[in-house]
Amino acid sequence: MTKTADARPEKLRERTCIGCRKRSSPTDLLRMTVSGGPTNQMVLPDPERRAPGRGAHLHPATECFELAVRRKAFPRAFKVPGPLDVTGLQEYVEQRDREEAVQKAASRPSAAV
């Protein structure tokens, strides 16, 4: 039995942030999905990357979220008509920003007096 070369060598995975349009590793981006009926569709964060359905990716930063809202990128990314409710996602992103700010403040060395 002869070993054959792998048809696809180890390939780097990349996804595009719908806010800033920069490509990053999926681990650096937050996956989102759409949930709800045809009249009340909500964008929900999927940090475990396991929810069914079409996903879109966003840097978990307020700047990228605001860019995506301004550009009306959510309906386009999910290929659905009309506006989507993004309040749950907005709260999640803002909470992540606050947690990161606290971690950065805690890791800074205190000034010697």
Side-chain angles (χ1 to χ4, degrees):
M1 191 178 272
T2 311
K3 287 188 175 185
T4 59
D6 193 11
R8 285 189 173 179
E10 190 60 36
K11 182 178 159 185
L12 293 176
R13 291 183 158 199
E14 287 187 328
R15 301 288 183 263
T16 303
C17 172
I18 66 170
C20 66
R21 307 290 299 159
K22 292 182 183 171
R23 296 183 64 82
S24 296
S25 165
T27 57
D28 296 336
L29 297 168
L30 172 66
R31 183 177 187 267
M32 308 163 290
T33 59
V34 172
S35 179
T39 58
N40 187 19
Q41 294 183 328
M42 298 172 23
V43 178
L44 299 174
D46 182 22
E48 288 85 32
R49 298 178 193 90
R50 298 191 191 280
R54 182 174 184 83
H57 295 82
L58 180 78
H59 284 111
T62 305
E63 297 83 28
C64 286
F65 174 80
E66 290 171 353
L67 273 171
V69 169
R70 195 171 349 156
R71 292 179 53 243
K72 299 178 181 161
F74 290 103
R76 199 170 39 251
F78 292 111
K79 297 185 179 181
V80 296
L84 297 170
D85 181 11
V86 294
T87 55
L89 178 64
Q90 181 179 14
E91 291 169 2
Y92 181 86
V93 169
E94 288 173 353
Q95 180 182 355
R96 288 261 323 236
D97 276 353
R98 284 192 297 270
E99 289 172 359
E100 284 185 18
V102 167
Q103 285 178 349
K104 284 182 182 178
S107 66
R108 274 190 230 141
S110 60
V113 179

